[in-house]
């Protein structure tokens, strides 16, 4: 709960798309609801994040490319999605759409 | 319905935008399209079970929408024919005799009761307005979808008509040829069933659908 309150910018959004909009190479006229995670994670959530933030600020990690901030990412995915393509073959997408978001 | 309209495609879109329909559609497409070995293209038993769940648990608005959609072109009819993933749930290398298939059906209680429902609810009667002895299209379509996922799984046999049949033939019927033809014709040339499908596709049977219990 603490995480959600502090990083309330990270939320689940959804958009109605054609499956071809995903540009995964499928030839079909079917559609889907695509859910994604949006928003920023400003507050350092863990001691690890706080340390990284301090070390990068003080230039103690040299040229290392570290991510000192959490990212708003899916923490769970939607159920699979099946559809029929234009060649009358069924296709199934896995881990294609977010179900829950969090700062990780 | 426009000339370029595809009701079956529209029904598939509606299904995937509904969480429940989407879930149960994927739940049958996966086992019905997953090859299990070099010789077996799928686990037919799992595919049939998942198809029964789909028709048992998804409201007719969505499931019938995909199975009984009305079509004006082959892109539409072919999609309609593919609804049950026939390569796994329907077709086999050989076509058994329809009477032998019905005998196998009688050994399984789900199949036996559902075949009896189909014969009862889709019985044609030329003197009624509906073409059905029991003037209840919803009952006939429910009985038909009940057969999907059993030994007697029926499907559309071509892209020209709404003629359906289980995967069987009447060759090798011997002296029971007439019985066999009668059984097969109950599927292939069933005016009650065909009228019910048309009424659903045209949306002209609104009153009957309102009386259907929620799935």
């Amino acid at each position: 709960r603490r995480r959600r309150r502090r990083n309330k910018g990270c939320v689940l959004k959804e958009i109605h798309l054609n499956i071809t909009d995903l540009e995964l190479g499928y030839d079909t006229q079917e559609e889907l609801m695509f859910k994604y995670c949006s928003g920023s994670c400003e507050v350092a959530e863990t001691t690890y994040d706080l340390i990284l933030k301090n070390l990068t600020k003080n230039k103690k990690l040299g040229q290392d490319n570290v991510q000192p901030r959490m990212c708003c990412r899916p923490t769970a995915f939607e159920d699979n999605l099946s559809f029929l393509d234009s060649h009358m073959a069924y296709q199934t997408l896995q881990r294609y759409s977010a179900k829950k978001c969090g700062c990780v | 319905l426009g000339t370029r309209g595809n009701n079956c495609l529209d029904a598939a879109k509606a299904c995937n935008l509904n969480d429940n329909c989407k879930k149960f559609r994927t739940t049958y497409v996966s086992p019905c399209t997953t090859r299990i070995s070099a010789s077996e293209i799928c686990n037919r038993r799992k595919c049939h079970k998942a198809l029964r769940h789909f028709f048992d648990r998804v409201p007719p608005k969505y499931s019938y929408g995909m199975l009984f959609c009305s079509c004006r072109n082959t892109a539409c009819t072919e999609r309609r024919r593919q609804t049950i993933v026939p390569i796994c749930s329907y077709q086999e290398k050989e076509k058994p005799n329809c009477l032998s298939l019905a005998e196998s059906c009688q050994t399984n209680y789900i199949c036996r009761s559902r075949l009896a429902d189909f014969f009862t609810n889709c019985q044609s009667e030329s003197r009624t307005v509906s073409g059905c002895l029991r003037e209840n299209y919803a009952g006939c379509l429910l009985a038909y979808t009940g057969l999907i996922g059993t030994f007697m799984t029926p499907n559309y046999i071509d892209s020209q008509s709404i003629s359906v049949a289980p995967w069987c033939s009447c060759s090798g019927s011997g002296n029971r040829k007439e019985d066999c033809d009668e059984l097969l014709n109950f599927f292939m040339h069933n005016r009650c069933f065909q009228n019910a499908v048309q009424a659903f596709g045209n949306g002209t049977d609104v009153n009957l659908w309102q009386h259907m219990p929620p799935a």
Side-chain angles (χ1 to χ4, degrees):
Chain A
R1 179 192 281 182
R2 182 162 145 255
R3 174 175 298 184
R4 204 178 301 148
R5 195 174 338 131
R6 294 172 100 188
N7 274 317
K8 61 186 175 190
C10 175
V11 292
L12 185 68
K13 291 188 175 179
E14 66 175 11
I15 179 173
H16 182 182
L17 294 171
N18 294 319
I19 288 175
T20 49
D21 293 333
L22 308 179
E23 296 197 45
L24 296 173
Y26 296 112
D27 180 10
T28 181
Q29 291 178 280
E30 288 202 33
E31 300 172 0
L32 84 167
M33 293 302 294
F34 175 68
K35 296 181 185 169
Y36 60 100
C37 297
S38 169
S40 57
C41 300
E42 297 298 338
V43 182
E45 295 277 351
T46 63
T47 309
Y48 173 84
D49 295 304
L50 186 61
I51 294 170
L52 270 192
K53 205 170 159 184
N54 294 339
L55 294 181
T56 42
K57 192 172 65 186
N58 299 328
K59 300 193 168 59
K60 292 237 167 90
L61 296 179
Q63 300 299 309
D64 269 357
N65 183 14
V66 295
Q67 173 58 264
R69 230 189 252 168
M70 295 186 130
C71 293
C72 180
R73 294 276 304 161
T75 53
F77 290 95
E78 283 263 285
D79 293 332
N80 295 347
L81 175 89
S82 292
F83 61 91
L84 192 61
D85 71 20
S86 301
H87 311 286
M88 293 300 142
Y90 278 100
Q91 306 290 349
T92 299
L93 299 179
Q94 299 177 350
R95 294 167 68 88
Y96 73 99
S97 181
K99 189 177 183 182
K100 284 180 187 167
C101 302
C103 291
V104 292
Chain B
L1 176 67
T3 45
R4 57 187 196 88
N6 182 333
N7 285 335
C8 296
L9 175 62
D10 292 343
K13 288 178 185 176
C15 178
N16 276 358
L17 297 179
N18 173 276
D19 283 339
N20 189 50
C21 190
K22 181 190 97 168
K23 179 178 151 192
F24 283 105
R25 185 187 190 202
T26 302
T27 304
Y28 80 75
V29 168
S30 293
C32 299
T33 56
T34 303
R35 181 175 275 280
I36 52 170
S37 70
S39 57
E40 285 178 281
I41 61 152
C42 67
N43 184 325
R44 192 182 176 100
R45 198 179 52 79
K46 281 189 181 172
C47 171
H48 275 177
K49 190 175 180 186
L51 275 167
R52 292 200 304 273
H53 283 172
F54 177 78
F55 287 105
D56 285 346
R57 298 180 189 179
V58 173
K61 177 185 167 189
Y62 296 105
S63 59
Y64 292 16
M66 291 199 286
L67 191 63
F68 301 128
C69 34
S70 63
C71 286
R72 290 190 176 182
N73 57 51
T74 51
C76 181
T77 54
E78 186 51 25
R79 175 176 273 278
R80 182 172 66 185
R81 205 181 68 80
Q82 291 295 338
T83 303
I84 65 165
V85 199
I87 194 166
C88 176
S89 71
Y90 184 63
Q91 289 158 235
E92 285 188 278
K93 281 184 198 126
E94 315 253 313
K95 263 194 182 180
N97 180 274
C98 295
L99 293 174
S100 328
L101 192 65
E103 276 165 28
S104 312
C105 178
Q106 297 300 326
T107 65
N108 175 284
Y109 85 98
I110 296 178
C111 192
R112 185 173 62 224
S113 66
R114 293 189 172 188
L115 186 59
D117 276 352
F118 179 63
F119 288 144
T120 306
N121 289 294
C122 296
Q123 178 77 57
S124 294
E125 170 54 65
S126 56
R127 287 167 295 184
T128 61
V129 179
S130 64
C132 301
L133 183 65
R134 292 191 166 192
E135 297 198 75
N136 179 354
Y137 287 156
C140 175
L141 296 188
L142 185 66
Y144 175 85
T145 56
L147 282 174
I148 295 169
T150 69
F151 292 121
M152 297 297 285
T153 297
N155 199 17
Y156 298 96
I157 51 176
D158 58 44
S159 53
Q160 320 302 323
S161 65
I162 47 177
S163 187
V164 297
W167 187 257
C168 65
S169 83
C170 281
S171 67
S173 298
N175 61 356
R176 299 183 65 199
K177 181 79 165 67
E178 273 183 29
D179 292 346
C180 188
D181 287 340
E182 194 186 341
L183 173 66
L184 190 52
N185 282 332
F186 193 92
F187 284 89
M188 288 179 68
H189 307 292
N190 186 317
R191 189 162 154 260
C192 171
F193 170 71
Q194 292 180 353
N195 286 352
V197 172
Q198 266 170 349
F200 180 85
N202 300 335
T204 52
D205 193 29
V206 178
N207 289 329
L208 285 174
W209 298 104
Q210 285 170 347
H211 297 302
M212 268 197 81

